[in-house]
């Protein structure tokens, strides 16, 4: 069963005054953000705002040039992808990195198969775990089980498989990069349901999107980036609608 009653106070990761340069261009400038347990944070900004660099810094692809990173309140030196994964930070990119020709269970356990001492895969156990994971995140169709080919799934359902894999990898923070891109309204709602179940389990989601309506609907709070800087932090209670969020974003960027 999913865990309930998420705790918003427990920090997962905090970036403090982080900056990153590429060939003399400052992609991130003195950025500070914090992700806590059981919340969905919407990250928005125009193209070139620094979202991709921030994501890659969060997951350890880039080490900051300056500033610091704390995991659950403890300072971390030598930030890299392994340390990010060990800290429970996983990314689901736009392409989802799934193999459509293979089954759901194969995709979830890819590279992390459960084996007996002589190397044989514990297939029945993997199927049982995979079925539990996809049901927990909300993939409840009777036509879908762990042995269903990923190629038969809709776009929203594939997002669910990618999220289930992140949970299997013991993710506490799942970074979703444009998860509703090119999805229908029905498929978008499926993704929202998956994200809601992740939040209710006490895990957190950083939701990156260009569609402000989607970001507004699913997020508890918002971070607006522009030219590598955090120019606004807003709780949902402060913003009455997606239109208001868009206006704040436009007005703030215009004056930045």
């Amino acid at each position: 069963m999913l865990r309930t009653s998420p705790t918003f106070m427990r920090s997962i990761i905090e970036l403090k005054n982080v900056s990153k340069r590429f060939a003399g261009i400052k992609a991130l400038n003195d950025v500070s953000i914090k992700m806590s347990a059981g919340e969905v944070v919407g990250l928005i900004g125009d193209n070139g705002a620094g979202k991709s660099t921030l994501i890659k810094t969060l997951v350890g692809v880039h080490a900051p040039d300056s500033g610091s990173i704390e995991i659950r309140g403890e300072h971390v030196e030598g930030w890299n992808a392994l340390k990010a994964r060990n800290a429970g930070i996983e990314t689901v990119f736009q392409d989802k990195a799934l193999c459509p020709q293979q089954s759901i269970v194969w995709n979830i356990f890819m590279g992390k198969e459960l084996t007996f001492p002589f190397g044989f895969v514990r297939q029945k156990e993997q199927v049982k775990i995979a079925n539990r994971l996809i049901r927990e995140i909300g993939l409840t169709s009777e036509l879908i089980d762990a042995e269903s080919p990923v190629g038969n799934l809709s776009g929203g359902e594939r997002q669910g498989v990618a999220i289930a894999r992140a949970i299997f990898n013991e993710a506490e923070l799942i970074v979703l990069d444009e998860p509703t891109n090119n999805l229908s309204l029905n498929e978008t709602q499926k993704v929202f349901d998956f994200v809601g179940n992740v939040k209710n389990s006490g895990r957190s989601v950083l939701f990156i999107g260009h569609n402000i309506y989607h970001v507004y609907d699913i997020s508890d709070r918002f971070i607006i980036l522009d030219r590598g800087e955090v120019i606004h932090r807003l709780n949902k209670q402060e913003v009455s609608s997606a239109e208001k969020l868009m206006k704040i974003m436009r007005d703030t960027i215009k004056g930045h």
Side-chain angles (χ1 to χ4, degrees), residues 3 18-19 26 34 50 61 68 73 76 82 87 112 126 155 174 178 181 207 219-220 229 231 255:
R3 298 187 300 272
V18 163
S19 295
K26 189 167 276 191
K34 180 179 181 179
V61 174
S68 63
V76 178
L82 179 60
K112 290 191 174 183
Q126 289 190 166
I174 301 175
E178 298 283 353
N181 194 32
F207 190 103
S219 302
D220 299 307
E229 296 182 10
I231 58 172

Side-chain angles (χ1 to χ4, degrees), residues 85-237:
R85 175 158 283 189
N86 288 340
I89 300 168
E90 293 277 340
T91 307
V92 176
F93 289 109
Q94 289 183 47
D95 61 10
K96 309 172 198 65
L98 298 175
C99 183
Q101 295 80 16
Q102 299 292 342
S103 66
I104 292 174
V105 64
W106 189 94
N107 276 275
I108 289 177
F109 284 87
M110 179 174 50
K112 290 191 174 183
E113 290 81 6
L114 306 180
T115 59
F116 292 107
F118 294 105
F120 295 105
V121 174
R122 288 145 55 188
Q123 183 65 16
K124 288 184 179 180
E125 186 177 349
Q126 289 190 166
V127 167
K128 182 179 179 180
I129 293 171
N131 274 320
R132 174 176 56 78
L133 286 169
I134 64 175
R135 300 309 179 218
E136 281 185 356
I137 60 104
L139 252 175
T140 56
S141 170
E142 294 181 359
L143 301 177
I144 298 171
D145 62 27
E147 297 180 287
S148 299
V150 165
N152 292 350
L153 305 181
S154 66
E157 290 163 347
R158 294 187 191 196
Q159 285 286 352
V161 173
I163 292 169
R165 182 172 64 192
I167 292 173
F168 171 71
N169 289 332
E170 299 183 337
E172 289 198 50
L173 167 61
I174 301 175
V175 180
L176 296 180
D177 182 26
E178 298 283 353
T180 58
N181 194 32
N182 296 322
L183 295 185
S184 67
L185 289 174
N186 184 51
E187 293 302 304
T188 295
Q189 186 58 53
K190 288 180 183 177
V191 175
F192 284 0
D193 292 342
F194 299 150
V195 171
N197 285 333
V198 170
K199 174 185 171 180
N200 289 338
S201 75
R203 300 176 179 90
S204 293
V205 172
L206 182 64
F207 190 103
I208 297 95
H210 282 98
N211 189 315
I212 304 299
Y213 290 94
H214 292 176
V215 177
Y216 180 83
D217 285 346
I218 198 62
S219 302
D220 299 307
R221 59 185 178 91
F222 313 98
I223 296 171
I224 303 176
L225 274 182
D226 183 47
R227 285 169 281 178
E229 296 182 10
V230 175
I231 58 172
H232 236 309
R233 296 180 180 85
L234 296 159
N235 292 320
K236 196 162 191 174
Q237 293 86 343

Side-chain angles (χ1 to χ4, degrees), residues 3-22:
R3 298 187 300 272
T4 55
S5 302
T7 303
F8 287 88
M9 299 301 293
R10 183 171 63 83
S11 170
I12 297 173
I13 184 170
E14 185 170 6
L15 274 58
K16 293 184 174 181
N17 308 111
V18 163
S19 295
K20 184 67 183 178
R21 286 181 178 271
F22 298 102

